[in-house]
Amino acid sequence: MEAFFADVATVKSILGDVRKKLVKLNKLNDESKTATRTETMKRYRDEMNGVIEEVSTTARECKLRLENLDRANEEAAKGAGAGPGAPRPRPSTQQRH
């Protein structure tokens, strides 16, 4: 269970990094709108492309980690006591009268 929570914490930190990079990307985009020189526009465009590549790589890593967590969860659910005739936990639902 500790490994699961460690993986979840890692995913949260990765998503935090993605958010920071998206804020940086928005800032660069706003700055590029006011640029008038070609050299400045190229510099902003190159920097934005670099940030986009970083975010894509990081998001792909996060997606793989989440898929691994899902796979591990499914395997744990199929573990001991999960065969035919075994009681399954039912989701609780709120009943309103």
Side-chain angles (χ1 to χ4, degrees):
M1 199 66 158
E2 291 177 19
F4 173 78
F5 288 122
D7 288 340
V8 169
T10 303
V11 168
K12 284 184 179 181
S13 69
I14 290 172
L15 290 176
D17 291 341
V18 168
R19 285 187 193 101
K20 288 177 187 175
K21 289 176 184 177
L22 289 176
V23 168
K24 180 179 179 181
L25 184 61
N26 284 332
K27 180 182 171 190
L28 287 170
N29 186 37
D30 290 341
E31 290 175 2
S32 71
K33 290 177 183 178
T34 61
T36 56
R37 292 183 151 183
T38 307
E39 300 91 28
T40 308
M41 283 297 298
K42 285 182 181 180
R43 184 173 51 87
Y44 281 130
R45 191 177 330 123
D46 291 342
E47 197 169 344
M48 285 191 297
N49 286 336
V51 173
I52 289 170
E53 288 178 17
E54 290 175 14
V55 168
S56 296
T57 304
T58 307
R60 210 172 300 121
E61 176 189 352
C62 187
K63 179 183 175 187
L64 290 174
R65 286 181 181 269
L66 287 172
E67 288 173 352
N68 289 337
L69 284 173
D70 284 342
R71 218 173 289 119
N73 187 30
E74 288 175 6
E75 289 175 11
K78 292 179 183 177
R88 291 187 302 163
R90 293 179 296 203
S92 60
T93 57
Q94 182 180 12
Q95 295 182 2
R96 295 185 179 176
H97 297 284

